[in-house]
Amino acid sequence: MDTITRRRLLTAGGVVAAGALAAGATAYALPDILGFRSEEPNGRILVLVTLYGGNDGLNTVIPYADPAYAANRPSMAYPADQVLPLDDGLALNPALKGLHRLYGDGRLAIVQGVGYPKPDRSHFRSMDIWQTASPERPGTTGWLGRWLDTAGRDPRLAVSFEPVLPPLLAGARSAGATVPGGTLDLPAGVTSDILTGLGTPSAGESPERARAAACFADLVRVRDLVAGTAPEEDEEPDEEPATATGGQAPALDRQLALVTRCIEAGAATRVYSVSLGGFDVHADEKGAQEAILASLDGPLAAFVERMAGREVVVAVYSEFGRRVRANASDGTDHGTASPVLLLGAGIPGGLHGDPPSLTDLDDGDLRHTTDFRDVYAMLLADVLGADPEPILGGWTGRLTFS
Amino acid sequence: MTDRSTVSHLLRRLTFGPTAAEVEAALRAGVPATLDKVLAPVGHPASLPEVGAFRPGREGRADARRDATEATGWWITRMVTEPGAAEKLTFFWHGHWATSVRKVRSAELMLGQQATLRRYGAGGTGALVRAMLRDPALIIWLDAQRNTRKAPNENLARELMELFTLGVGAGYTEADVKAGARVLTGWRADRTGGTATFSARRHDPAPVTLLGRTGTFDADAYADLLVSHPAHRPFLAGRLWARYGADTPPDAATTARLVAQGGSTVAMLRALVGDPAFAGCRGRLVKQPVEWMVGAARQLGIDPERGRSRILAGLRALGQVPFRPPSVGGWPAGTAWLTTSSAQARLASGRALAALAPEAVGTLGDTARADRPDALARILVVDEWTARTRAVLAGAAGDPRLLLTLGLASPEYAVH
């Protein structure tokens, strides 16, 4: 599997079946989504939050009462008086104030120790595995793309506000919709007719050229402006850590603002994919991780508050956690199991699944206690009302809230 | 008799956007002589831009940002003005050992890394890997500057094997990552010194088992193990193919032919463009934004100094700015560059480039209206327009600037 970046997955030779993308345009304008109505009654909505770069789970949901925690991370451990306590000797990172409040209200569920067998510690491979839900061999479709294949194949059912479709939304016969932000200013003299002309398929053209032409056809349809979602200028703060993705997504709060608009407009969309990059920290991790967790906490807690009373479920995951023992650079190296956060309608708050042991390790790494496919199966069944088994390659496990 | 589309294809892939004049010269010289000329090491040593040494603190940060912009502009100018394959090869290696100034925060170190890529990028990869393991920018980028015997930091060793030398699934294990990290302990870099140094005190001298060999290794021995590993040359052949050939991987026979060239990158490139499969790559490779932008500037005779700010703004909008790859995995590739927002950005940049190219606009204006689409194809070194695009161009032929804009944004120009 080639790994220039995870974006590579979208090319014909990558993870995603070319058919899904060649099947037609995936770009839509915001009004297309706002005005999307379906014959079916609107069911529950899933908002999936992908954290790119391997978020350190042990400093997110912190086992501060376990002596092995501080012993393994002398300069990186949080002392008991700095953390936001939960139950059972666990606590949240001090940056997660909003989520801590939601936990106190019984609205944040933490599934502990989520992972998969034979963990892969490459950012790129592990993200493939999570997005395709195929740990044994590289898959060619994303798990929610396969759901879309069974759910009527309308791209508007599964929406991302990134410029490039995330692989998890690409199915075998259909693909989700991307809603690029920004304004649609065309240079003088470039008319709709010209765009339509350039967007016309040409017999015998290579798939790559056909795709280049299709972009113009898409552009004709993406006529409306998405106010306030122009891409950032590139002068990010210098401290911004390297990330393991080619993600060019708008800021998380902006993505969630668009999700909010669509949901409140009554769109029939069932799945929204949003993402936050920058978790690929290996040194001086504590401060960097706190800063980025704060940029997750504020928008996420505000979104959950605003969605209160609606049939919306949020799930937050990363491609892997980090090793138990710190490295010498006040950071951690790529690890394995990590918590998954769930919030929203019908999700009972509290701690779920077994906490992974900090002493019974697999070569220095946590052993996962819950397979991520159990979490997916629950989301497919309880949120999307689908039969998880065919979508997850015959996987029969399912997360239950005891 | 050399065929125009053959030499055009060759030059489009090996160099940044050949000009019509370069195509004519290559037609006269023939393929072998053209290859010799294009692949010869460029005689121009890079005279580096003035950038300051690293200074910590707020002012230092502002200076570093200014210097980074200066270095980027300098490199783009060089890409536009230097003929031959050298600049594109340096850009290939930059995307391969993808390092970002956003974290390194020193233009001086980024230019130092680039000098290493220039010095060793054309020959065998042994010297290149050895040098990169001592490259301060890479060491800072991958947190290796504090990789010590007490607790090694695995980041550099992991990416070294996964992304730089062997590729995913190439048979190295987690134990190899840990062993590799231990071998590299003690190498550190700091921004102010601008060099990497080795500290024996911080190095772990204990024997390790690395890629099936047990013993004590230093960074050079590790580099040598990697470049002699059976996965290394096929991996490199695949990376070169992805950037110079097509967005779909080469078949086994092509890979074997490239691997048989020995370890020299230029020899592999020469074999790549001479491969029977190369002709079939026409229209199969999506241009990266830098290739699109620099190629257009060359073909339109744009003064890169005058166009600097427009070119940089265009590259930002298209999502590829030199020295700022999004991650250690480098930039996206292939159809990931083909989105509605990129189509729109190519139209806008095409318009801006056309405004900077009065000469090319004049040439089109001096051509009979019916012949303008063909004249445009000659300027942009496009073999032929599809009927679809030709119809659009014919409709816009009355306005040479618009005609040029549409040619630059066209599918035939975006995918070469």
Side-chain angles (χ1 to χ4, degrees), chain A residues 11 73 108 115 150 191 197 235 238 278 317:
Chain A
T11 64
R73 302 182 161 206
L108 167 66
T150 67
T191 59
E235 286 307 340
D238 263 352
Y317 75 101

Side-chain angles (χ1 to χ4, degrees), chain A residues 220-386:
Chain A
V220 178
R221 297 184 311 121
V222 184
R223 297 297 292 162
D224 275 278
L225 318 186
V226 181
T229 59
E232 293 280 329
E233 277 302 300
D234 87 316
E235 286 307 340
E236 302 90 348
D238 263 352
E239 287 69 23
E240 183 170 317
T243 77
T245 80
Q248 311 269 332
L252 183 66
D253 56 353
R254 218 175 305 147
Q255 294 175 72
L256 288 171
L258 289 165
V259 174
T260 302
R261 276 186 68 182
C262 294
I263 291 175
E264 291 180 349
T269 305
R270 301 291 305 279
V271 171
Y272 294 92
S273 167
V274 299
S275 69
L276 179 63
F279 286 88
D280 185 14
V281 186
H282 287 265
D284 303 325
E285 192 180 298
K286 219 166 150 178
Q289 193 202 15
E290 266 185 48
I292 196 156
L293 284 176
S295 72
L296 168 70
D297 182 75
L300 185 61
F303 176 75
V304 170
E305 294 289 6
R306 183 147 176 172
M307 290 295 124
R310 290 182 183 272
E311 291 292 303
V312 177
V313 171
V314 182
V316 187
Y317 75 101
S318 189
E319 73 263 30
F320 44 59
R322 296 308 184 92
R323 198 150 288 177
V324 178
R325 180 173 283 282
N327 62 30
S329 327
D330 292 333
T332 52
D333 288 309
H334 299 183
T336 51
S338 199
V340 166
L341 309 181
L342 301 169
L343 304 109
I347 300 287
L351 299 167
H352 302 279
D354 297 323
S357 165
L358 298 190
T359 49
D360 172 25
L361 301 176
D362 171 18
D363 197 16
D365 273 316
L366 300 177
R367 296 175 191 278
H368 75 276
T369 53
T370 297
D371 192 294
F372 73 77
R373 287 164 291 184
D374 289 1
V375 181
Y376 286 180
M378 182 280 292
L379 294 171
L380 287 164
D382 298 0
V383 181
L384 298 176

Side-chain angles (χ1 to χ4, degrees), chain B residues 230-279:
Chain B
H232 173 63
R233 284 183 192 170
F235 171 70
L236 180 60
R239 307 297 337 116
L240 286 166
W241 185 265
R243 294 299 189 201
Y244 288 91
D247 285 317
T248 43
D251 62 25
T254 295
T255 303
R257 284 189 289 267
L258 299 192
V259 166
Q261 299 304 312
S264 152
T265 305
V266 159
M268 268 198 193
L269 267 185
R270 188 184 270 269
L272 189 152
V273 297
D275 196 88
F278 181 66

